[in-house]
Amino acid sequence: MNPFMKDDGPDAASGFEEVEHTADRALRLWAPDFETLLVEAARGAARIMSGRQLQGPFPIRKHMVLEAFDRESLLVAFLGELAFSAESGGELFWEFEFERLSDKNLAVVANGLRVPALDTVIKAVTYHELEIVRTEKGLEATVVLDV
């Protein structure tokens, strides 16, 4: 685990941190709502892939429309799409403009940049022990990434 792999987000109400995992990489996520949880997951994955926090400007825009069975499946699909963009085109995304979001679908414009190389390639986003749970402060989840 890298000690710098922690980001408390714009305020302490949301964030991500990399947590120890036996074989792969994992992100523990927390946020006041589902939209912010998705953003923190995307930023955590981008940070793992790039080895750093991304700084703007973000000239690349990508429109994504995704459907899934539930929140967990939507989180996996969202991160999977971002991991594919990173591996296939070196595109990492840090800012997101949600046009539509429910427990089963989303439409979002992702803003990012191209990097010359990735520190880490995410081969797959797994469902291993994935559950989004409601807490007093909002939502929490841990997502395991196959690297």
Side-chain angles (χ1 to χ4, degrees):
M1 182 169 82
N2 299 327
F4 69 91
M5 289 297 298
K6 181 171 174 46
D7 181 26
D8 293 328
D11 57 47
S14 71
F16 67 83
E17 67 179 335
E18 187 174 0
V19 295
E20 294 287 341
H21 192 269
T22 54
D24 299 311
R25 307 277 293 265
L27 290 169
R28 186 176 71 84
L29 310 165
W30 64 94
D33 55 49
F34 187 44
E35 180 178 319
T36 309
L37 190 80
L38 291 172
V39 170
E40 294 298 346
R43 288 179 176 172
R47 189 118 164 225
I48 286 173
M49 290 185 284
S50 69
R52 61 187 170 87
Q53 179 171 324
L54 300 182
Q55 302 292 322
F58 299 113
I60 298 173
R61 294 175 59 83
K62 178 177 180 161
H63 190 262
M64 292 184 279
V65 177
L66 300 170
E67 293 189 27
F69 296 109
D70 56 19
R71 283 182 169 185
E72 287 82 2
S73 298
L74 193 57
L75 172 61
V76 168
F78 181 58
L79 289 179
E81 184 70 23
L82 295 173
F84 176 78
S85 292
E87 186 175 5
S88 64
E91 298 172 345
L92 294 174
F93 298 94
W94 197 261
E95 293 179 349
F96 302 88
E97 303 163 26
F98 285 87
E99 298 168 342
R100 181 180 71 248
L101 177 62
S102 74
D103 288 354
K104 296 182 178 184
N105 65 64
L106 66 76
V108 64
V109 175
N111 301 293
L113 49 82
R114 185 165 281 111
V115 295
L118 298 175
D119 264 20
T120 302
V121 173
I122 295 174
K123 295 186 279 185
V125 181
T126 75
Y127 287 92
H128 180 72
E129 297 181 6
L130 177 59
E131 181 181 11
I132 298 172
V133 295
R134 180 154 301 283
T135 68
E136 285 182 10
K137 296 181 179 182
L139 301 173
E140 289 185 8
T142 298
V143 61
V144 177
L145 308 170
D146 180 11
V147 296

